[in-house]
Amino acid sequence: MTDTTDRTGALTDLRVVDLSRVLAGPLCGQMLADHGADVIKVEPPAGDDTRWWGPPFVKPGHSAYFDGLNRNKRNISVDLRTDEGQALLRRLLAEADVVIENFKAGTLDRWGLSDEVLAVEFPRLIHCRITGYGVDGPLGGAPGYDAVLQALSGLMSINGEADGPEMRVGIPLVDIITSLNAMAGILMAVHARETTGRGQLVDLALLDNAVSILHPHAGKWFATGETPPRTGVAHPTICPYETFQCADGPFFIGVGNDSQFRSLTSALGVGQLAEDPRYVTNAERLAHSAELRETLGAIVGEWGRAELSDLCRSAGVPAGAVNTVGEAMSLPQVLHREMVVERDGYRSVGIPVKLEHTPGAVRFGPRDRGADTAEVLSELGITEEQAEGLRAAGVLPA
């Protein structure tokens, strides 16, 4: 039987109530749980939408999408639309340090848990709220999904080939950056509480987070007023910094300065290129990027990816094969860094933040909906007889 209470890590003193669904909130909760927080995921009777975002499915009710965001969390299922469910939520919040939610604006207010009420009833509680656009302003309260925010924020406009259409980034980038900032905000609020004794609202909007990562394109627009063009895989201000084709597949070379360019050309046996007036400095290389791309492309095309990787690394030039996801997950360095983990049949990406004295851990995989209800209710002092009444009323799963 899985032990869901044996926790180690830097955050073992925190209890988190995760009311969120889909991605940004659940990923934030998972990262806190990875580092030892006691995270209780509260799912509605129908479950988190992403349980059915498949195929593929690991098992019934467990899509690969859901399982990638919900490990290390205890799980209870409660109908929060009912008075009894809301009363149970209050008992959970009374024992919690943090609550994470991404409800539609006004949902908690309707349940009698407005920001003002939370601050009075649970003064030490840190309330992490994630919305698409915030709760006020011209778009306040509107629903927002990752791809929509990529479009609206300008991210989509800078992604894609110069002569092609705007493209969505191939991962839910806005949700992911929001989850990372949510975790940072929560930990900042925990730190502040040590001094003030009070919790606070940690307010995140997907739009804010999408706009915040427009570097260096926003800076260019502020400086020039010009709309940044799409440059495909190439960098808008560094050259060469793009994909070339080796004899056996795509290969990325990232030259960050003039010295690295000289090292690259010397290693490739074409040191004279670094003396060509068109390529001496980064600014000149950018101005003649098409010619340089053609010249380097012909040279790189004669190499295999493994050999060219070794050559570039020996020369101090950042470079590497453009791997598939499977190739990346099988890289010896990825495995050495324990970025692939397996626990009792659960297999996923590892923990990227390595703490020396209080390391995080993957203790167990995602739980079935409501799997830990009895355990959590017992901790709240709810008797089995009371729990049976809640089940009979449809507040808890039968």
Side-chain angles (χ1 to χ4, degrees), residues 16-33 39 41 48-50 53 65-66 68-70 73 98-103 128-133 144-147 149 171-186 202-210:
V16 179
V17 175
D18 182 1
L19 303 176
S20 63
R21 294 107 350 112
V22 188
L23 200 160
L27 180 56
C28 174
Q30 176 172 283
M31 290 186 291
L32 294 170
V39 178
K41 183 175 178 71
D48 187 318
D49 290 349
T50 60
W53 281 17
Y65 196 109
F66 174 87
L69 303 168
N70 290 286
K73 303 177 187 179
V98 179
V99 61
I100 304 171
E101 55 93 1
N102 58 353
F103 294 121
C128 179
R129 180 172 67 206
I130 300 173
T131 59
Y133 305 94
Y145 269 24
D146 185 279
L149 272 301
I171 59 171
L173 181 62
V174 177
D175 278 324
I176 291 170
I177 194 67
T178 302
S179 71
L180 291 166
N181 283 335
M183 181 174 67
I186 288 168
V202 180
D203 183 14
L204 294 110
L206 297 180
L207 179 61
D208 299 354
N209 285 270

Side-chain angles (χ1 to χ4, degrees), residues 64-84:
Y65 196 109
F66 174 87
D67 277 13
L69 303 168
N70 290 286
R71 70 186 180 210
N72 281 342
K73 303 177 187 179
R74 296 194 286 170
N75 190 293
I76 70 172
S77 182
V78 181
D79 190 345
L80 296 177
R81 297 168 299 180
T82 65
D83 291 342
E84 297 89 344

Side-chain angles (χ1 to χ4, degrees), residues 35-316:
H35 287 279
D38 178 16
V39 178
I40 300 171
K41 183 175 178 71
V42 182
E43 291 194 62
D48 187 318
D49 290 349
T50 60
R51 281 189 180 273
W52 293 274
W53 281 17
F57 292 95
V58 179
K59 62 180 181 178
H62 284 257
S63 69
Y65 196 109
F66 174 87
D67 277 13
L69 303 168
N70 290 286
R71 70 186 180 210
N72 281 342
K73 303 177 187 179
R74 296 194 286 170
N75 190 293
I76 70 172
S77 182
V78 181
D79 190 345
L80 296 177
R81 297 168 299 180
T82 65
D83 291 342
E84 297 89 344
Q86 292 158 26
L88 180 55
L89 174 58
R90 276 183 155 86
R91 295 182 74 158
L92 283 167
L93 296 182
E95 301 294 327
D97 296 283
V98 179
V99 61
I100 304 171
E101 55 93 1
N102 58 353
F103 294 121
K104 292 180 181 178
T107 298
L108 286 180
D109 290 35
R110 290 195 302 273
W111 294 347
L113 290 168
S114 65
D115 293 349
E116 295 75 18
V117 170
L118 287 173
V120 171
E121 289 193 19
F122 314 104
R124 290 182 56 81
L125 182 68
I126 293 159
H127 172 198
C128 179
R129 180 172 67 206
I130 300 173
T131 59
Y133 305 94
V135 299
D136 50 21
L139 292 176
Y145 269 24
D146 185 279
V148 177
L149 272 301
Q150 287 195 34
L152 194 63
S153 67
L155 277 172
M156 203 176 286
S157 76
I158 56 175
N159 191 48
E161 295 297 333
D163 57 352
E166 301 83 355
M167 295 186 69
R168 178 182 69 86
V169 179
I171 59 171
L173 181 62
V174 177
D175 278 324
I176 291 170
I177 194 67
T178 302
S179 71
L180 291 166
N181 283 335
M183 181 174 67
I186 288 168
L187 296 180
M188 284 187 272
V190 169
H191 177 73
R193 191 177 66 177
E194 292 297 310
T195 301
T196 67
R198 295 192 62 85
Q200 60 183 294
L201 174 66
V202 180
D203 183 14
L204 294 110
L206 297 180
L207 179 61
D208 299 354
N209 285 270
V211 169
S212 77
I213 58 173
L214 284 171
H215 183 78
H217 306 281
K220 179 178 180 179
W221 182 83
F222 285 128
T224 67
E226 299 174 2
T227 299
R230 289 185 296 284
T231 58
V233 73
H235 198 284
T237 58
I238 307 173
C239 181
Y241 197 94
E242 57 193 288
T243 300
F244 297 88
Q245 290 295 320
C246 282
D248 55 353
F251 189 87
F252 193 91
I253 297 175
V255 170
N257 54 53
D258 297 338
S259 175
Q260 287 181 357
F261 184 68
R262 291 191 294 271
S263 296
L264 173 67
T265 56
S266 176
L268 291 172
V270 288
Q272 68 274 14
L273 278 180
E275 307 304 322
D276 189 313
R278 295 172 297 172
Y279 308 139
V280 172
T281 69
N282 181 68
E284 290 160 342
R285 292 194 295 275
L286 272 174
H288 300 89
S289 59
E291 301 102 297
L292 180 58
R293 184 179 304 115
E294 183 177 356
T295 300
L296 281 180
I299 298 168
V300 170
E302 298 177 358
W303 286 80
R305 295 193 299 176
E307 294 78 15
L308 187 55
S309 290
D310 292 341
L311 180 76
C312 287
R313 291 191 185 107
S314 297

